[in-house]
Amino acid sequence: MEYDKRSQESPMSDEKHLTTSDGKAIEINDSGERAVTAADGNTLAIISPAAERALTRKFDLRILPVLAIMYLFNSLDKSNLGNAKTHGLEKTLGLKGTQYNTILSVFFVPYVLTAPFLGILGKQYGPNRVLPLMMFTFGSCTLLVTAAKNFAGIMTLRWFLGMSESAFFPLVIYYQTTFYRRGELARRLAIFYAAQSIASAFGGLLAFGVFQIESDTIAEWRYLFIIEGCCTILFSFFAFFYLPQSAATAKFLSPEEKELAYYRMQVDSSSVVNEKFDLRESFKIFKEWTSWMILAIEICLGVPLQSVQLFLPQIVARLGYSAVKTNLYTVAPNVSGAVMLLILAFASDYTRWRFPFVALGFLFTFLGMIVYVGIDVKSQLHVAYFATFMMTWGTSAPSVLLDVWYNNNIAHEGRRVVLTSIGVPLANLMGVVSSNIFQNKDAPKYIPALATTAAFGATGLALTLILGVFMMFDNARRNKKAGRKIEVKDIPTERLRDGPRVEEFRWFY
């Protein structure tokens, strides 16, 4: 492995010279190698690209697949009501009027209220422990839906499901920022998040298969919750004992690899690696106006995201297929959404640009909704079906890349957790809007709901472009003041604890 811990004079060239807050020098040569040098001139470590690639491959193989499977179950347990609705859930439970919309909406209230607290617990006790415990809880809630007999029973379970799932995605984002550099994060988070699109597709396939069951004892849709709940609970036990707390405690890394992982985070992720959580210090993130802009974009993102996730089966049902075929026809749009997410995320990491790809996702959503509303679906089935593909393209990608975008600009770990634990649930809170604009009285066209969703997408597009352009101009202003051009990658994150208030800070846009 091309990683050395040394005590002799640094052999690196003086091509690019950086300094950390504690006096360590970081020199970068033409081949991309970084030498971490102490104040006395001794080289503490040399970080080579080859060694980093080997390390990230280990993270990719050991951590990402487990997180992706966990999120797949998370998404299945959250969105399976849409599939069950197409096969008699309302009739079995005796739901009337807007009661179905109510059980969708109630999920998001505890989701938002408890997410910041669970996010803080995750920072204090480790995501590797809190995430599996959350998984066990929401799996149990899913399994208990099979015992629900009426509106009150399922509404109670949806409330506790919202509590148990609230900080899951924010904690996974934070967890990944402790293993990956800023420029590596988008594609890894996309691979993880693609599990949601795959879950929606798999959920449609699973529902298609389960609804073939003929039973005189319980309703067919209840088997869906039995299967998904049991699998979720079983996998939570595996995750609890498998996930490492951090790279420093990962059993699959050698001592040299653990040190390499630490230096990577010190240079290009965190101001203080594994910093103890300080509530007062962490909430200072809201002194920055850009944090409020991010929250506004999260709100605009949430309506399209939740509308497609919760109501795609109902949107596809307008094409005139049977209940079984409707679930089957949701598979392809969801799979294409996962593919588009990966394409945009890999392109974002390759170019080291964030906001143009977030804006592109919003544009896809806007166009998909407008096309679906503006055509005669019955006479233009293929165009209408293609519009559902565009809807899925424009929901997954902005969610991932927006979260990566602002996490890339926050070196303070506590502030990162706080903003993510509020921003992500805020986007999910918009499920309250989505679940109440898709009214049965507007079926099968749902024109008011689709028009409202398109409007949120257009607003999100505008806000994203405004924030991105500001970051570009602010970087140019800072470079002019400094008298030289400084790139994001030139400044160690160890020196960026106070974010934009630091003169050397440059926006990762």
Side-chain angles (χ1 to χ4, degrees), residues 133-154:
L133 290 174
M134 291 172 64
M135 187 178 186
F136 174 82
T137 307
F138 65 69
S140 300
C141 290
T142 299
L143 183 60
L144 287 172
V145 169
T146 59
K149 301 297 183 183
N150 50 36
F151 170 69
I154 195 166

Side-chain angles (χ1 to χ4, degrees), residues 2 170 179 240 466 474 496:
E2 297 177 35
F179 290 95
F240 185 85
I466 290 171
D474 193 49
L496 303 178

Side-chain angles (χ1 to χ4, degrees), residues 62 66 70 127-133 135-136 175 233-245 249-252:
R62 300 294 188 107
V66 177
M70 292 174 73
N128 64 311
R129 289 290 176 260
V130 176
L131 286 172
L133 290 174
M135 187 178 186
F136 174 82
Y175 191 45
I233 292 171
L234 289 175
F235 197 81
S236 69
F237 285 102
F238 168 76
F240 185 85
F241 293 104
Y242 180 82
L243 292 175
Q245 182 175 4
T249 62
K251 296 180 180 178
F252 55 84

Side-chain angles (χ1 to χ4, degrees), residues 149-407:
K149 301 297 183 183
N150 50 36
F151 170 69
I154 195 166
M155 188 172 75
T156 302
L157 288 169
R158 290 286 295 179
W159 176 276
F160 286 105
L161 184 68
M163 290 180 64
S164 58
E165 291 196 3
S166 59
F168 193 87
F169 189 48
L171 273 180
V172 167
I173 295 173
Y174 168 70
Y175 191 45
Q176 290 200 34
T177 64
T178 63
F179 290 95
Y180 294 106
R181 287 178 179 268
R182 290 180 292 177
E184 301 166 346
L185 190 58
R187 58 189 182 273
R188 267 78 184 194
L189 193 57
I191 291 171
F192 157 79
Y193 193 85
Q196 174 167 293
S197 297
I198 299 300
S200 299
F202 179 70
L205 284 173
L206 182 61
F208 174 77
V210 168
F211 294 163
Q212 310 302 312
I213 298 174
E214 296 182 4
S215 174
D216 296 326
T217 54
I218 63 173
E220 288 85 353
W221 61 264
R222 293 188 189 272
Y223 285 106
L224 194 62
F225 292 84
I226 293 174
I227 294 170
E228 292 176 2
C230 288
C231 291
T232 302
I233 292 171
L234 289 175
F235 197 81
S236 69
F237 285 102
F238 168 76
F240 185 85
F241 293 104
Y242 180 82
L243 292 175
Q245 182 175 4
S246 64
T249 62
K251 296 180 180 178
F252 55 84
L253 296 182
S254 66
E256 291 78 13
E257 288 172 326
K258 291 177 182 179
E259 289 194 51
L260 172 58
Y262 173 83
Y263 282 118
R264 276 166 39 88
M265 296 302 96
Q266 191 177 35
V267 169
D268 196 18
S269 182
S270 301
S271 55
V272 179
V273 181
N274 298 325
E275 182 178 12
K276 186 177 180 181
F277 184 80
D278 184 320
L279 185 65
R280 184 187 298 272
E281 189 68 27
S282 297
F283 270 84
K284 286 183 179 179
I285 188 65
F286 294 109
K287 289 185 177 181
E288 305 294 338
W289 72 269
T290 52
S291 297
W292 297 100
M293 191 70 154
I294 288 294
L295 294 181
I297 299 174
E298 290 276 17
I299 290 172
C300 294
L301 166 68
V303 174
L305 179 66
Q306 296 301 323
S307 293
V308 172
Q309 186 172 339
L310 295 173
F311 290 98
L312 186 61
Q314 282 71 49
I315 295 172
V316 173
R318 188 184 170 193
L319 301 179
Y321 300 111
S322 66
V324 173
K325 279 193 173 182
T326 292
N327 283 289
L328 191 60
Y329 272 72
T330 63
V331 174
N334 281 307
V335 170
S336 74
V339 172
M340 182 59 69
L341 164 62
L342 294 174
I343 291 173
L344 294 181
F346 273 77
S348 178
D349 269 355
Y350 180 77
T351 60
R352 295 181 70 87
W353 284 70
R354 300 299 188 216
F355 84 90
F357 297 99
V358 176
L360 183 60
F362 275 117
L363 181 63
F364 282 143
T365 295
F366 175 74
L367 293 177
M369 297 292 175
I370 291 298
V371 168
Y372 201 84
V373 169
I375 65 173
D376 180 2
V377 171
K378 293 294 184 182
S379 61
Q380 295 177 286
L381 280 177
H382 292 94
V383 176
Y385 191 46
F386 178 74
T388 65
F389 281 70
M390 294 188 72
M391 294 176 194
T392 62
W393 295 350
T395 52
S396 297
S399 179
V400 169
L401 295 178
L402 175 61
D403 296 328
V404 171
W405 185 16
Y406 65 76
N407 271 273

